[in-house]
Amino acid sequence: MLAQLTITNFAIVKFLELDLQSGMTCITGETGAGKSIAIDALGLCLGERAEASMVRPGCDKTEISARFLLSGNPAARGWLTSNELAGDEPDECIVRRVVSAEGRSRSYINGVPVPLAQLKSLGQWLVNVHGQHAHQLLLRPDYQLSLLDAYAGHTLLLDEVRQHYQLWRQLQNELARLRAEQQQREARRQLLEYQVQELDEFALQPGEFEAIEEEHQRLANGTELLQECGSCIDLLYENDDTTIAGLLQTAVNKAESLVGMDNRLTPVLDMLNEALIRVEESHSELRGYLDRLELDPELFNELEARLSRAISLARKHHVKPAELATHHQSLAEELARIGSDEARLENMQVELDAARSAFMTSADALSQSRQRHAEALCGKVSESMRELAMPQGHFVIEVAPDRSQNLSPLGIDRIEFMVTTNPGQPLQPLGKVVSGGELSRISLALVVITAQRMATPTLIFDEVDVGISGPTAAVVGRLLRQLGESTQVLVVTHLPQVAGNGHQHMVVSKHTDGQTTETHMQPLAQQDRLQELARLLGGDHITDNTLANARELLAQ
């Protein structure tokens, strides 16, 4: 439940801190005092749209925070845990919203910055607001369906139907795509079959082009390699006149003599010996290479032909020759996917029929649940209508399954709220029969009845009693008080019969000094509450009679 609401610089509120209790809390005040301002601030705190005009004139920001107690609210606790936003106190949650004078806003849950979507998602488990125009929603089939589902509480059935529907629609979309692409896919398949067959016949392997290119380069320069290797061998070791090895050996001999005269030249001798060893090794390597070097004209021609074919195919496929093998593999994989899509297309109708059948089975079960709960809800609403000054009122919910047309994530049902308020009058759709006052009373009855079965721990009724007066107002007050016995209820009202039923009472007042305006809200003690009820009954002129009527309301 909502335990505390703190508002700073919001509209005409400079600072307001409310400590709230369980049960039914009534909020009253003079017209224009801003009775709904705390409700508006709470809505902003829980994710409603922010505007710069919400910031009190002359201030740089507005800040609203709400503290909720979560004992008895496993849904909210589970949401916080799954989103890793649980605070240090597991039975408490603090939500905060800051809006700048430029209209930018920041949101926090238990001190952690969060996107606005998360704030809204959490809010649905904390507070449910019913505004003064909520009864107009009652004429909409989707709202009628949501009320019936809220009363029935068959969340698991709804989730099951939604999942089956989404799978069925996903398969429908996939089938439509495969069919639409079938002609294009066939043309692509024919091209790919030709291309892949051509590349299969050539069968270039990964890395093969580079190896062919390297071998071709070697064979193309074979004669020059023979000549230059022979010349290098002669220079190193095998020339009849002068060789590098011979010159180095002479230098080694001289260095040995020098070391005998001065051993500080030993490093020079070592380097010359090392150079001589390197020359001998180089000669040996070159001699071995020359002995193994073979010039094979036939192999050269084969390599040249394969190299030319690879370059030609690469140009044809608009890739580099070194990428041809990878491109071949890519085309083969695409061809396999097209074959897989065709096989998928052949088998999809069976899968689609199975998905539709599963959806229909779940939707039928949901429809039966709706029909059972609709019957129970109709009896309760009809009884409430009679209590709310419609003695001949009769309320019926028509649940009409339509297995051919009305398929949706919510099932197969078309819902119609039917009502009659006068003897002999047939049942007709709600919007064609009732007046505005009757509609608001029926809406209120439905909200109170369904709210008793909902998990939201805090319910807010913002002037939902507009158009109600006299004995009917007293019944509304008793209904709301009864709801407050099990749920925290906040009621913004102008009716003394409703306000008198509250467990707590708060009054809103507006003050101005001619320059600025401030709204205040404060809880009322018993004597102050008596005065406020008397004001609601008789206006500003309070008499002994209005005080007596106020006492009677409180006594009831």
Side-chain angles (χ1 to χ4, degrees):
M1 73 169 208
L2 178 62
Q4 189 175 67
L5 180 65
T6 304
I7 307 169
T8 305
N9 297 326
F10 176 72
I12 56 175
V13 174
K14 185 175 183 180
F15 179 78
L16 183 63
E17 186 171 84
L18 301 177
D19 292 314
L20 297 154
Q21 308 297 321
S22 58
M24 175 183 172
T25 299
C26 293
I27 301 172
T28 63
E30 294 182 359
T31 302
K35 293 189 292 295
S36 300
I37 201 158
I39 311 304
D40 296 339
L42 180 61
L44 178 65
C45 189
L46 293 175
E48 293 296 327
R49 182 180 175 183
E51 296 179 1
S53 59
M54 295 174 171
V55 181
R56 182 176 170 84
C59 300
D60 60 349
K61 65 179 180 180
T62 184
E63 183 171 337
I64 302 163
S65 65
R67 181 168 63 89
F68 294 90
L69 302 182
L70 303 182
S71 56
N73 190 354
R77 291 174 66 175
W79 187 96
L80 289 168
T81 300
S82 63
N83 286 274
E84 299 182 351
L85 289 169
D88 296 333
E89 296 292 335
D91 288 333
E92 186 174 286
C93 174
I94 297 176
V95 177
R96 186 163 65 98
R97 184 98 181 268
V98 180
V99 180
S100 72
E102 293 78 29
R104 295 188 297 271
S105 76
R106 301 189 304 276
S107 309
Y108 304 86
I109 297 175
N110 287 326
V112 179
V114 296
L116 194 60
Q118 275 196 310
L119 203 61
K120 288 184 176 180
S121 179
L122 173 61
Q124 67 180 327
W125 302 112
L126 298 173
V127 173
N128 199 336
V129 179
H130 302 275
Q132 57 180 303
H133 302 297
H135 61 277
Q136 297 297 333
L137 294 173
L138 199 57
L139 301 178
R140 288 172 35 185
D142 58 332
Y143 185 68
Q144 294 177 1
L145 183 61
S146 68
L147 277 177
L148 175 57
D149 285 338
Y151 176 79
H154 40 218
T155 306
L156 293 179
L157 265 178
L158 279 168
D159 288 344
E160 185 178 318
V161 168
R162 188 177 295 109
Q163 290 170 9
H164 285 309
Y165 178 83
Q166 288 172 347
L167 175 60
W168 175 56
R169 289 295 298 167
Q170 178 183 332
L171 291 172
Q172 274 191 321
N173 293 336
E174 184 180 358
L175 180 60
R177 178 185 62 79
L178 290 174
R179 283 174 173 168
E181 295 173 355
Q182 191 169 23
Q183 185 175 358
Q184 179 183 357
R185 199 163 52 245
E186 177 60 23
R188 179 66 175 164
R189 183 185 63 78
Q190 292 178 2
L191 174 62
L192 285 172
E193 283 179 343
Y194 168 76
Q195 291 178 327
V196 170
Q197 181 179 358
E198 185 178 47
L199 291 172
D200 281 345
E201 290 171 357
F202 186 57
L204 186 70
Q205 301 302 310
E208 183 184 349
F209 179 81
E210 294 87 337
I212 292 174
E213 197 172 34
E214 184 179 343
E215 182 67 9
H216 179 270
Q217 177 76 9
R218 184 181 65 79
L219 291 175
N221 295 285
T223 301
E224 189 174 353
L225 279 170
L226 283 172
Q227 292 174 351
E228 294 300 321
C229 281
S231 176
C232 193
I233 288 171
D234 285 345
L235 284 172
L236 289 171
Y237 221 91
E238 297 182 6
N239 194 301
D240 292 337
D241 298 326
T242 303
T243 65
I244 293 172
L247 292 172
L248 276 172
Q249 184 62 58
T250 302
V252 167
N253 294 337
K254 290 183 178 295
E256 287 175 345
S257 299
L258 291 170
V259 168
M261 293 180 280
D262 187 349
N263 61 9
R264 288 180 298 177
L265 292 172
T266 299
V268 174
L269 176 61
D270 292 340
M271 287 186 281
L272 288 170
N273 277 319
E274 179 69 22
L276 182 59
I277 293 170
R278 292 294 185 188
V279 167
E280 291 173 349
E281 288 176 348
S282 299
H283 168 261
S284 178
E285 285 291 325
L286 277 171
R287 171 55 63 192
Y289 173 80
L290 195 59
D291 291 344
R292 294 189 302 272
L293 184 62
E294 295 181 3
L295 300 182
D296 187 341
E298 186 176 345
L299 176 60
F300 176 76
N301 291 334
E302 290 176 2
L303 290 176
E304 187 164 36
R306 190 158 178 78
L307 197 64
S308 297
R309 180 62 174 158
I311 292 171
S312 175
L313 283 172
R315 188 180 300 115
K316 183 177 181 180
H317 286 269
H318 305 288
V319 296
K320 295 178 180 178
E323 299 170 354
L324 189 62
T326 303
H327 181 64
H328 177 199
Q329 183 179 357
S330 176
L331 292 179
E333 289 172 354
E334 185 181 353
L335 181 60
R337 282 197 301 273
I338 288 179
S340 175
D341 283 348
E342 289 300 317
R344 173 93 173 128
L345 185 58
E346 293 176 5
N347 297 320
M348 269 211 72
Q349 192 58 53
V350 174
E351 192 174 344
L352 187 64
D353 291 343
R356 190 180 193 278
S357 177
F359 165 72
M360 284 300 181
T361 299
S362 296
D364 284 338
L366 178 61
S367 182
Q368 292 166 15
S369 176
R370 282 172 175 156
Q371 292 173 43
R372 287 195 308 272
H373 287 92
E375 185 176 352
L377 180 56
C378 289
K380 292 184 177 181
V381 174
S382 296
E383 181 181 346
S384 292
M385 286 174 66
R386 290 189 281 274
E387 292 178 355
L388 293 168
M390 290 178 279
Q392 304 299 323
H394 185 51
F395 182 81
V396 171
I397 300 176
E398 288 189 352
V399 181
D402 184 350
R403 297 171 62 88
S404 60
Q405 298 292 329
N406 197 46
L407 310 185
S408 80
L410 297 175
I412 58 175
D413 297 315
R414 287 184 292 108
I415 299 294
E416 184 92 70
F417 281 9
M418 310 288 286
V419 69
T420 178
T421 57
N422 298 307
Q425 184 186 42
L427 287 166
Q428 290 186 352
L430 197 62
K432 294 183 178 181
V433 179
V434 297
S435 65
E438 289 172 332
L439 183 62
S440 65
R441 279 177 275 165
I442 295 171
S443 172
L444 184 60
L446 275 163
V447 167
V448 170
I449 292 168
T450 55
Q452 293 171 335
R453 299 173 65 96
M454 295 171 68
T456 310
T458 299
L459 298 173
I460 296 175
F461 296 89
D462 188 5
E463 297 201 32
V464 294
D465 49 15
V466 171
I468 297 173
S469 60
T472 305
V475 175
V476 169
R478 288 198 297 272
L479 285 173
L480 292 173
R481 183 181 178 91
Q482 180 184 352
L483 186 60
E485 299 293 341
S486 58
T487 305
Q488 184 186 41
V489 177
L490 305 181
V491 182
V492 178
T493 183
H494 65 284
L495 295 178
Q497 296 93 330
V498 173
N501 276 281
H503 296 93
Q504 295 85 225
H505 192 154
M506 290 189 172
V507 68
V508 179
S509 57
K510 185 168 64 174
H511 305 278
T512 180
D513 59 4
Q515 301 295 322
T516 60
T517 302
E518 288 187 31
T519 286
H520 301 279
M521 184 182 298
Q522 59 186 18
L524 295 180
Q526 188 71 4
Q527 184 59 37
D528 295 328
R529 188 175 181 185
L530 186 66
Q531 292 291 322
E532 176 64 9
L533 289 177
R535 184 193 65 78
L536 292 172
L537 285 164
D540 292 334
H541 184 60
I542 298 175
T543 66
D544 290 340
N545 287 335
T546 54
L547 284 171
N549 288 339
R551 288 191 189 92
E552 187 177 353
L553 286 176
L554 284 178
Q556 291 175 354

